Amino acid sequence: MNFTCHPSTLISRIFIMRTSYLYALVAARYAVSHKMVLSNGSDVGQPAGYPKGQPIGQPVGQPVGGFVSVRAGRKQTPFPQWLTDFTGLKEWPGIDPPYIPMDFIDFDKIPDYKRYDQGVCGANPRESCSFDCDHCLAPDDVYTCRKISQTFDDGPSPATDKLLEALDHKTTFFNLGINIVNYPEMYRKILDGGHLVGTHTWSHPFMPSLTNEQIIAQLQWSVWAMNATGHHLPKWFRPPYGAIDNRVRSIARMFGLQAVLWDHDSFDWQLINEDQTVRTEEDIYRDVQEWKHDGEGLILEHDGTFKTVQVGINVNKILGDNQMTVAECAGGIDYIRAFP
Ligand SMILES: [Zn+2]
């Protein structure tokens, strides 16, 4: 196995350069309608809180904090011997993890839909069931909850601690594998608090733009990060940007993963944009009051930055602690397997 390890600071710099370029690209051409459609064609209506003309999920280049926080000199999760035996590698990968063949992946069962970039819709027929393009939901997608509940993506990060200190209920985190191995203590603190953790991929790519092998790599390395750091395997998977179609779903299902989307987007990431006129904290709290009044739904928030964590704490104050984890919302199980 040929794998070149980059110095972590370089990875961070490359990532920032790449994302700021993509951000400009995406911002220029992203426009989607905001109707949710089940894969059987029925319309579940416009999710509340979607300002007109706003994309689903975050832009590619979240400018402050970033998706992947890599700092030199910090203690990573040790790369376990079982993973060396399986992969031939000795260190955690950078943002482009290598594909490692796995016997439970059946390539014949992956539908042959075309790859597409963020915001470039129309390459595939509607039955490809893209959430980001068409707000299409598959029957096994979780996207709402009978009790209005918060969820937090993109951690663990240095800001996560503040959120953990403030929360009095169990919540759901969708963590990035690369952040898990770089913040192992924070990750274990989340688990110790009894919270639910699902995967948000290894390094936050736009999954439909990847090859099947790259999609597999993003999921397998995120699962291994959880296994090596917290001794468990995840059941729940939130695709970055809500970018998922039936090609991505079919691969995720082979990992035993079930997709989780949302019906209320806080758009908290807009608070850390340079242009702070897009959305204010007051806009978010006003939406949350409305959602609370309705009483149902899953809210998308982020624990990747201190700013969005503070908003999450304030949203928690508005909603209270009568919330559910995604597993409780779905009436399903937490982890498919935990190790002592
Ligand atoms: Zn994310």
Side-chain angles (χ1 to χ4, degrees):
M1 188 65 57
N2 186 8
F3 171 66
T4 311
C5 182
H6 304 271
S8 54
T9 47
L10 183 62
I11 292 166
S12 185
R13 208 170 304 135
I14 290 168
F15 190 79
I16 289 162
M17 283 164 59
R18 178 184 294 195
T19 53
S20 50
Y21 162 73
L22 284 171
Y23 177 60
L25 199 68
V26 167
R29 65 188 181 191
Y30 210 124
V32 293
S33 64
H34 295 295
K35 271 186 158 293
M36 283 183 139
V37 181
L38 291 168
S39 56
N40 64 10
S42 64
D43 192 338
V44 294
Q46 169 150 346
Y50 276 81
K52 228 178 168 184
Q54 296 293 345
I56 296 177
Q58 302 157 284
V60 173
Q62 187 185 26
V64 179
F67 299 116
V68 180
S69 343
V70 180
R71 206 169 53 218
R74 199 161 12 77
K75 205 165 167 249
Q76 283 192 327
T77 301
F79 197 83
Q81 184 60 44
W82 57 262
L83 200 47
T84 295
D85 294 344
F86 192 71
T87 65
L89 303 177
K90 292 204 161 74
E91 293 184 57
W92 293 105
I95 58 164
D96 290 317
Y99 160 68
I100 308 293
M102 303 191 83
D103 59 5
F104 59 79
I105 302 291
D106 184 349
F107 279 83
D108 292 339
K109 293 209 170 117
I110 303 172
D112 195 20
Y113 294 121
K114 292 192 185 76
R115 294 159 62 186
Y116 63 92
D117 291 327
Q118 188 171 17
V120 185
C121 295
N124 293 308
R126 288 289 282 237
E127 61 262 29
S128 66
C129 195
S130 162
F131 182 73
D132 49 298
C133 282
D134 302 320
H135 285 218
C136 179
L137 292 158
D140 58 340
D141 289 351
V142 177
Y143 68 95
T144 191
C145 189
R146 63 185 183 277
K147 274 184 199 166
I148 184 82
S149 297
Q150 297 171 269
T151 63
F152 297 91
D153 291 9
D154 295 357
S157 81
T160 307
D161 206 26
K162 199 175 166 198
L163 181 60
L164 293 174
E165 296 298 324
L167 289 181
D168 274 329
H169 69 276
K170 310 284 184 252
T171 194
T172 309
F173 292 91
F174 291 97
N175 283 348
L176 295 169
I178 197 168
N179 285 350
I180 291 170
V181 299
N182 281 312
Y183 295 96
E185 300 84 7
M186 198 66 75
Y187 183 70
R188 283 191 287 267
K189 195 165 176 184
I190 294 171
L191 294 180
D192 289 347
H195 301 288
L196 177 66
V197 186
T199 172
H200 197 42
T201 73
W202 172 258
S203 59
H204 214 280
F206 187 84
M207 296 285 261
S209 72
L210 305 183
T211 65
N212 292 340
E213 287 82 0
Q214 288 172 319
I215 292 169
I216 293 164
Q218 282 289 333
L219 294 177
Q220 66 188 167
W221 282 98
S222 76
V223 168
W224 290 334
M226 293 178 162
N227 198 332
T229 311
H231 307 292
H232 75 100
L233 298 172
K235 165 70 184 165
W236 308 100
F237 159 53
R238 176 170 276 163
Y241 319 102
I244 190 166
D245 64 3
N246 281 342
R247 186 171 67 96
V248 177
R249 280 189 192 90
S250 74
I251 296 171
R253 287 183 191 124
M254 291 178 200
F255 281 87
L257 294 167
Q258 192 170 343
V260 181
L261 297 154
W262 59 84
D263 52 359
H264 297 308
D265 193 339
S266 68
F267 291 99
D268 56 352
W269 53 266
Q270 291 188 350
L271 299 174
I272 52 177
N273 277 352
E274 281 169 29
D275 177 7
Q276 303 220 339
T277 59
V278 181
R279 187 157 167 83
T280 65
E281 283 192 50
E282 287 65 39
D283 294 334
I284 294 174
Y285 304 142
R286 193 169 48 244
D287 285 344
V288 169
Q289 292 284 6
E290 272 182 38
W291 303 337
K292 183 185 180 187
H293 185 258
D294 294 340
E296 296 181 355
L298 271 187
I299 305 177
L300 172 64
E301 299 183 60
H302 298 88
D303 64 317
T305 72
F306 283 96
K307 181 75 180 174
T308 54
V309 158
Q310 187 54 53
V311 169
I313 292 168
N314 294 343
V315 169
N316 182 204
K317 283 182 190 151
I318 295 171
L319 294 179
D321 292 311
N322 189 14
Q323 301 188 33
M324 290 177 154
T325 65
V326 161
E328 290 168 331
C329 297
I333 59 168
D334 183 341
Y335 304 120
I336 53 175
R337 196 169 168 194
F339 304 94

